[in-house]
Amino acid sequence: MSRKTEKYSVIGKRQPRLDGVFKSTGRSQFTDDVVLPGMLHAKIVRSSIPRGKIVNLDISRAQKLPGVKSVITHKDTGDLMVGPDQMLLRENDVKFFGDEIAAVAAVDEDTACEAVELIKVEYEPMEPLFSVAEAIAGNAPVIHEHSDDNYADDLKMKFGDTDRAFSESEYIRTDKYTVNPMHSCFAEHHIALVDYSLPNKLTVWSPVQVTGFIKMNMSFKFGIPESNIRVMNLNSGGCFCGRASDKAHHYIAAVLSRKTGRPVKIRCTAEEEFLVLRGGGKYNFTFKTGIMKDGTLKVIDADLLLDCGAYMDVQFIVLQFIGHSLQMLYKMDAVKFKGSLVYTNNHPYMFHHGTGMVAMRFALGSHLDLIAEDLGIDPVEIRLKNAVDKKYTTPSKIKYASCGLQECIKKAYRKSGWKKKYGKLPPYRGIGIGCGVINSGGKGMFMHDTSAARVNVEEDGRVSLFTGLPDMGQGSHTAMAMIAAETLGIKTEDITVIAGDTDITPYDVGAIAQRGTFTTGNAVRNACLDARKQIAKTAAGKFGVKPSSLVFRDKKIYPRGAHDQAVTFEDIVYETLHSEEGRYIMGNGFYNPPAEALDGTTYEGNSSLAYSFGAQIAEVEVDPETGMVKLLRVTVAHDVGRAINPMAVEGQIDGQVFSGMGQTMFEECIMENGQVLNPSLLDYKLPRSFEMPEIEHIIVETVDPYGPFGAKEVGQGPIQCTTQAIANAVSNAIGYPIKELPITPERILKAIRQKEKEK
Amino acid sequence: MSRKTEKYSVIGKRQPRLDGVFKSTGRSQFTDDVVLPGMLHAKIVRSSIPRGKIVNLDISRAQKLPGVKSVITHKDTGDLMVGPDQMLLRENDVKFFGDEIAAVAAVDEDTACEAVELIKVEYEPMEPLFSVAEAIAGNAPVIHEHSDDNYADDLKMKFGDTDRAFSESEYIRTDKYTVNPMHSCFAEHHIALVDYSLPNKLTVWSPVQVTGFIKMNMSFKFGIPESNIRVMNLNSGGCFCGRASDKAHHYIAAVLSRKTGRPVKIRCTAEEEFLVLRGGGKYNFTFKTGIMKDGTLKVIDADLLLDCGAYMDVQFIVLQFIGHSLQMLYKMDAVKFKGSLVYTNNHPYMFHHGTGMVAMRFALGSHLDLIAEDLGIDPVEIRLKNAVDKKYTTPSKIKYASCGLQECIKKAYRKSGWKKKYGKLPPYRGIGIGCGVINSGGKGMFMHDTSAARVNVEEDGRVSLFTGLPDMGQGSHTAMAMIAAETLGIKTEDITVIAGDTDITPYDVGAIAQRGTFTTGNAVRNACLDARKQIAKTAAGKFGVKPSSLVFRDKKIYPRGAHDQAVTFEDIVYETLHSEEGRYIMGNGFYNPPAEALDGTTYEGNSSLAYSFGAQIAEVEVDPETGMVKLLRVTVAHDVGRAINPMAVEGQIDGQVFSGMGQTMFEECIMENGQVLNPSLLDYKLPRSFEMPEIEHIIVETVDPYGPFGAKEVGQGPIQCTTQAIANAVSNAIGYPIKELPITPERILKAIRQKEKEK
């Protein structure tokens, strides 16, 4: 047992998830398990063409169908907006294949489906635009009146003197990369059950990551106080940033509930999933990098054209994430970024696992490998040489209180046997490296990034922990329980986590931006310290010592150095309640990282307090006849600050390698005329479990000074490294650069042929 | 507007119940509204004879009935006890008509009923005992092996030197009184839904007043930690002390749930209601009182023989309540009490609205009127002369921090026009007075009497108040919201009360012993003061003043005397959360009245911190032909300390006058051979709404120094006065003493005839 693990009795131990047995026996409650008396089922009428005028809309037959309780159209919802540029239901035109036109609530799902079939929409088709290139061509038709060039928005960032840095560079290289639309393919489809039967109380059951957004937006749009909106975010089958906020189906269910006076459930079909989730769009990157001959990076100028589909959603945030991330991993003098969002008549895009940064990391990582090759430097060496460290401040003024990047690179390098393999593998075997960095929460969404937590200590010494942080499957509630248990000196199993109901849990910004362990973890720790103080009061009196000299460990309390006097935690708690004072122990805590808000103009500032780093090395084998790639092994080194639960850290790593592997090798929404041609798990190719590579886990613990017990994120950090590592390994295997994701067999064969042609 | 109401902006205002609209529109959720997936329905097989041996029990046909999932008998439950002397299911014998023998869980209620019919029990009848007299006769059969004289328990109390007090008395009178078994007739039948499908987690949905008892007892009996037991006490249709604790149906549902792995619901039928509720038993009082000729009370010696039915439950507590109450209302030198509990083969008795004290108050109040008549003293005068006051300490060392008894008597006297009426009414019109006293919570059940409360202050300035105090219909949650609103300077409507789920709410002893407003009210106030301090920190900084100089009122905050600078409560709260600190406001509070624990041997001590007092004057008209009584008018003066919500105080008074009227004039479980002959609302006579008298409400506010804003109970105080007042009025009307409740027309005609005979 190392000194580190001895220090704690809970933290750092392998802990199976508290909800594991419930999940695996089907006892965990998901939204679809909730059945309310009188509940109706709703279905949405969607556009069957990608662009056109609505000439006629006839709902009369549907209204007459027995069992139909309400049919709503634009007449009912008016100018109710569901995004910055999207009306909830369309009035005069449709802009994508799937655009919401009407909705039906009926006594059961079959009746609702039948009613949808009875609604007749007549269109006058208009010329659609399916690519960014078409959309920004000079004479293209205009998709939204407010944008005559089809540009939806753009973001320009510049940190440092890029002109000077380029002029000082000894070598400059430019590459272009493409990442095709992908989808996160949640285990649980999008779903909402809404009860808005009373005019001033709205309850939403739905898997969501940020309940605050739903409350804020619904409050604003329906004109009822935020506190009268209750969000029940039960278990969720994956989120991957795709369930951060309110979507059309939430509003449609709400409007139907208000009209019928009944709760209304909407369950999205597999096909709808691809319309509702709005996975990542099509990315077109151009990277221009200046560098010294010895491999010292000077400057990056990156350009991104992003197809955002028919409507805007949160795509602007994607640009922000990418712009900042460009200069967070390697030291450089300056960086410039221009990101443009372009409307098309594809379905609206949004987030995808890794939130856009993964696409950028693939491009930049591949680009860096080409530069290294040009300069005759080992890909590991060029990364190590430029890797940021604890003393470094980035051009945008980001600082690192802890930084394990170099350690990650070195450990992955050693463990993977890179030295013996790179350039020495048999033909069509390849090895590649990828690195990544990501924040652990921080300011951005609000002026604050607050999490609050509460504990009730029951008289039998068990503790209820109230948190507004959702657990979307990553095991964050178990991590919170471990932090609570360690702080109170009890066992993880003694903690019951209570979550999933905004009427009951204290404020929490939510499960986004990798903030859970770091920010909510700190709040939980503070709440438990508050409770511990109250318990210590009783114990200190009993032992006749100062509270500060008490040890809380293994369900016992004793004065430091006097373990033989130990009294059980339970007994002290019982005594506290059954005292003359009758003190019931309740602890409160909150945490708002004292980070800077970003400057609104320059985007400079250190808006997060902690950042985690990683390096991954992948080995692949390519079949030159079929173009099939076999991912053999991935060595993952990730700096998590402190592994609260090593088992869960490994689980998070495995899940992200899996997802990164899918994004690199398999996943693509095949688009044709604005339609997803493969909208189901039969046709949309996810990796299967037997395709998982051997994974070597290297947990790097830099013990962050701000994190709870030193912990940082392991939320979307590892996946930042995976796509690059695999793509670089494939390039290394076939000896030709890969510049488009996913690397399908077709694209690999094309690259092999191209290489032969160029010889 | 009086000075008192000006002081507060919420307290003392008439406030409709927050849940009123939900109750009246059928939206409030009761246990029977909860339907769980896979839920089974259970029915109980009960003894069809009052006493006998079980010769054979055949469940085989029931087990084979399609839809039956489990049949349990004593073989499954073994020695699992449901009371001190009662096994959950009977093995060899039955002791009352209705004794639990077996139970069935089936897919629906009809199937369960059918299965119950298929279960054959063969008995060998034994000689039953239906009266206390039979049971304590020397040669009576023994009902329980552990008691060869059929005495279940007894309690002796003696405060002061009774021998000396009697010897000093100038006049001594003895009377005997009988109160027949009654039932509280809840609007909601007894019901339990239990999910014990996992071995270490038990969830009980059931209307209960003291969730802690259920958790404690089930934890002990099933051997699972208390914290793993969740009690969902949703709305309840009346409790009246009859739902304080766990009962057989809770355990039967739990055992069936454990066996079937499914949630199990048991709904009691109207007939079962009388077996499950266990209303008040049959009371036989003997009062011997010593007094001076001027009306100065010296001493009471009271004896009670109480039929407790076939098993013991909480009847011992009834004896304790009665023993203490004897000397709490009037000054006297000494008091002696002996209460004996006797087993019979009637169904087990327990509590009834007023918890036994109402029976005693009827007896003592009637007895006192006879003494007054003997001495030629006005009934009001004799009460006023002996009424306790603030400076008084009772023989058992009870002290009154506030006491409005004399004020209540005087005000009721004046308002009722007693002086013009007493002795001056036409024949068969009568007037009578009754007085009462009751504690507002206190120690007894546990070493503590703690309530805890929590508040979350949301960013829109609305507040969630978490309390473990159930609202059984009395409006206590609205009172808690008013206390919270006044403390925080906001409106009652800004508070959402969250209750009814022990996993979520903080500790609270529960809704018993009239502790809600006083004890939980103080906890709520403390929680809100804690939150207010946190809000004041922001406001004080903003105004540049000390926190103590801030005024919180009408949703505004301002420095004292500077109303023009007022900022809204909401803005300050928003600012607090959206600050650099990101402070989310959560307030905790608890309250355990610093009262003495009773001495375990002498029963002396001041175990409650507050007591409320009342006086009621009733006017009746008796029809000498039919014996029917018409209750014309009741003047109610009640010392509530401070009326938090005068509308609710009046509601509580009305409800108790209604119930007291029922107990005096109508209600009786007509027993024959151990069976209730009238077990339904068709036959068990409750007063109907048109029979309600005119009620004059006089709220006396003594402003208790310990109560929240000076408030005390109005829980079961008023009913202590009602039965005596009405009975005395009837005696006054017919000119003959009433010594048995209820005063049915038959008993009145008998009394009138007796009077004529004695002339």
Side-chain angles (χ1 to χ4, degrees), chain B residues 179-206:
Chain B
V179 177
N180 285 292
M182 295 175 189
H183 188 272
S184 291
C185 292
F186 303 147
E188 182 193 18
H189 286 186
H190 277 76
I191 185 165
L193 167 58
V194 179
D195 186 354
Y196 191 13
S197 52
L198 289 174
N200 205 29
K201 178 79 191 171
L202 200 162
T203 306
V204 180
W205 286 257
S206 193

Side-chain angles (χ1 to χ4, degrees), chain B residues 527-568:
Chain B
C528 293
L529 286 173
D530 184 19
R532 191 165 101 159
K533 202 166 64 184
Q534 298 165 46
I535 301 165
K537 188 179 164 191
T538 309
K542 192 178 186 77
F543 292 121
V545 300
K546 277 193 233 162
S548 60
S549 76
L550 290 167
V551 177
F552 285 66
R553 197 185 168 107
D554 295 331
K555 304 179 84 158
K556 292 200 173 62
I557 302 172
Y558 48 92
R560 189 163 292 114
H563 188 275
D564 55 326
Q565 292 177 38
V567 177
T568 67

